[in-house]
Amino acid sequence: MQARAAGIDNPSPMIGPARLIRAAFEASDMAALAQEILARSPDGVIDAGAAMDLATILLLTHRTDEALQLQTDILQGQRLFSLRSNPDQARVRVLILVTAGDLMANTPIDFLLNDDDFSLTYLFLCPGEDMPRDLPEHDVLITGIAYSSGAEPLLEAVAAAAEGWSLPIVNHPRAVLKTSRHGIADALRGAEGILAPAVALLDRADLSASASRLPEGLDYPVLVRPLDTHAGNDLQKVDRAEDLTHYLDHATAERFYVTQFCDYRGPDGLFRKLRVVLIDGVPFLCHLAIRDHWMIHYLNAGMLEDAEKRTAEATAMATFDAAFAQRHRAAFAEIHRRIGLDYLILDCAESSDGRLLIFEADTGMVVHDMDPVDLFPYKLPQMRRVFSAFQQAVRGRAQTRPA
């Protein structure tokens, strides 16, 4: 397959990640969709945007190595992309800085700005290259590159270049750099009303050597996971030094996060984890997952199968502003002040002593409205509130741009 470049200043249209993620979530035939995209170019040469859509489909079907190679090939000839659905009458031109990678590499902005007011253009940046002096025309720029150790040098370079940009920026790259697991722990250390568990980043040799005596601030039980992993991949609770040795015997990574474990189960023995979005410091609840095990993700919590859990989530959303958000109002404000991001996603809970317990905070997690309405009738109105708040924030930035 050969991709046809549209030119460095001419965006190549694509379906975009959000629509493809939605198709996969709804169990669409992704192979058939890929064939449909390929069939648009009978000569075997497809547009760069269509090729980028194929790379996203490869990611969604767990063919990651092929997807990343295809992205690399595409970006040799084309860096600028747009969404096919963007209307000509859009009033706000949004330029999103992104980079190659998996589905966690960038903020899924097209979920948030799925509105006729906005045209979305994506500029792909690659590590080690000079930052462009002249950016495509836009009203608002969004740093879509999410934190990872691999993206850190690129975010540093974008942050330096941003000092010379005059138009409004949503999520300054300098603030995105604070969202590593250790960066969040450092930024929130000592904040009143917040429990940000201690975190150490160790290579294999140091972790093995410290099994019997963990770094200062850590004590068994701890959580161990490889660097740059999410969704519980290779995450394990380790209760004793010999368990840590056993974990390392089977792990293949070379660098690991070690995090202090906090038992956050409620009086009923269940664990509750919330996904909260801060938009200009204002918290919005996106989901509540409930499980009898500390490792909670929405998809493993049995929310689809358990009507009582869904009722609890609906109640949490209906009362969030007056209850949870009010109890932790000062904590959310302090997180906004210390991290400094306009848009930040928190995975959090309430600790046994009533503090806001932070598991993770970044800009790459998916915030969506894909859950079936028949089972989750309360979620669509809530997610529309989230999207509307973000859209208003972007519109507000556009209105402040220099004439």
Side-chain angles (χ1 to χ4, degrees), residues 280-354:
D280 286 339
V282 178
F284 296 86
L285 179 60
C286 295
H287 70 228
L288 166 67
I290 305 170
R291 195 183 180 202
D292 59 358
H293 191 278
W294 62 267
M295 191 191 297
I296 306 179
H297 306 290
Y298 201 77
L299 295 178
N300 73 11
M303 304 298 291
L304 284 166
E305 299 82 11
D306 195 324
E308 288 188 11
K309 289 182 179 180
R310 296 196 299 274
T311 297
E313 183 181 40
T315 300
M317 287 188 170
T319 62
F320 180 77
D321 291 346
F324 193 95
Q326 186 61 29
R327 286 198 303 277
H328 300 290
R329 180 171 53 88
F332 285 128
E334 188 66 5
I335 291 170
H336 181 58
R337 187 185 73 80
R338 292 192 181 202
I339 305 301
L341 283 166
D342 311 291
Y343 174 80
L344 178 66
I345 311 160
L346 306 171
D347 274 354
C348 60
E350 204 163 53
S351 67
S352 58
D353 61 3

Side-chain angles (χ1 to χ4, degrees), residues 197-245:
V199 177
L201 177 58
L202 301 171
D203 62 29
R204 174 180 287 273
D206 288 340
L207 181 56
S208 179
S210 64
S212 59
R213 185 178 179 85
L214 292 172
E216 184 178 356
L218 294 171
D219 196 9
Y220 292 108
V222 292
L223 301 177
V224 184
R225 77 177 80 216
L227 177 67
D228 290 334
T229 57
H230 299 275
N233 292 326
D234 293 325
L235 169 64
Q236 187 168 315
K237 178 171 169 281
V238 175
D239 296 301
R240 305 170 300 170
E242 49 266 41
D243 296 332
L244 179 55
T245 301

Side-chain angles (χ1 to χ4, degrees), residues 48-320:
M52 193 61 75
D53 288 331
L54 290 174
T56 301
I57 290 173
L58 289 171
L59 289 173
L60 289 165
T61 52
H62 311 293
R63 297 164 63 182
T64 303
D65 291 343
E66 294 172 72
L68 298 182
Q69 184 58 58
L70 180 55
Q71 289 179 4
T72 299
D73 294 343
I74 296 164
L75 294 177
Q76 289 178 1
Q78 180 69 25
R79 296 296 180 86
L80 205 61
F81 300 83
S82 63
L83 292 190
R84 290 184 181 277
S85 58
N86 281 345
D88 293 334
Q89 66 268 27
R91 294 186 294 174
V92 182
R93 299 167 300 174
V94 180
L95 178 64
I96 308 164
L97 302 183
V98 292
T99 191
D102 62 21
L103 294 172
M104 292 290 291
N106 302 294
T107 307
I109 295 295
D110 46 344
F111 274 111
L112 301 168
L113 296 182
N114 184 21
D115 184 277
D116 288 349
D117 255 7
F118 304 94
S119 66
L120 305 188
T121 301
Y122 296 80
L123 177 60
F124 276 79
L125 303 176
C126 296
E129 296 184 353
D130 293 337
M131 291 297 102
R133 291 185 178 182
D134 299 318
L135 297 174
E137 290 189 359
H138 62 281
D139 301 305
V140 177
L141 182 145
I142 299 178
T143 303
I145 304 166
Y147 179 86
S148 68
S149 60
E152 189 171 311
L154 179 57
L155 284 165
E156 292 279 9
V158 177
E163 302 305 320
W165 296 338
S166 60
L167 295 182
I169 300 174
V170 172
N171 277 4
H172 196 285
R174 190 68 66 192
V176 176
L177 282 161
K178 297 180 182 180
T179 60
S180 65
R181 293 184 187 275
H182 59 283
I184 290 293
D186 290 345
L188 300 182
R189 183 177 294 115
E192 187 174 353
I194 298 173
L195 176 54
V199 177
L201 177 58
L202 301 171
D203 62 29
R204 174 180 287 273
D206 288 340
L207 181 56
S208 179
S210 64
S212 59
R213 185 178 179 85
L214 292 172
E216 184 178 356
L218 294 171
D219 196 9
Y220 292 108
V222 292
L223 301 177
V224 184
R225 77 177 80 216
L227 177 67
D228 290 334
T229 57
H230 299 275
N233 292 326
D234 293 325
L235 169 64
Q236 187 168 315
K237 178 171 169 281
V238 175
D239 296 301
R240 305 170 300 170
E242 49 266 41
D243 296 332
L244 179 55
T245 301
H246 180 73
Y247 174 87
L248 289 172
D249 286 341
H250 294 82
T252 59
E254 290 300 322
R255 303 183 75 196
F256 301 86
Y257 275 121
V258 183
T259 305
Q260 184 63 54
F261 176 76
C262 299
D263 189 343
Y264 62 101
R265 80 186 76 194
D268 58 359
L270 297 177
F271 296 87
R272 292 166 174 81
K273 187 168 76 170
L274 300 86
R275 177 157 294 179
V276 174
V277 169
L278 292 185
I279 300 173
D280 286 339
V282 178
F284 296 86
L285 179 60
C286 295
H287 70 228
L288 166 67
I290 305 170
R291 195 183 180 202
D292 59 358
H293 191 278
W294 62 267
M295 191 191 297
I296 306 179
H297 306 290
Y298 201 77
L299 295 178
N300 73 11
M303 304 298 291
L304 284 166
E305 299 82 11
D306 195 324
E308 288 188 11
K309 289 182 179 180
R310 296 196 299 274
T311 297
E313 183 181 40
T315 300
M317 287 188 170
T319 62
F320 180 77

Side-chain angles (χ1 to χ4, degrees), residues 339-378:
I339 305 301
L341 283 166
D342 311 291
Y343 174 80
L344 178 66
I345 311 160
L346 306 171
D347 274 354
C348 60
E350 204 163 53
S351 67
S352 58
D353 61 3
R355 287 181 288 173
L356 185 66
L357 171 59
I358 304 297
F359 300 114
E360 186 173 1
D362 69 27
T363 62
M365 290 183 270
V366 176
V367 171
H368 65 82
D369 59 351
M370 299 186 294
D371 293 298
V373 176
D374 58 333
L375 287 176
F376 302 90
Y378 53 90

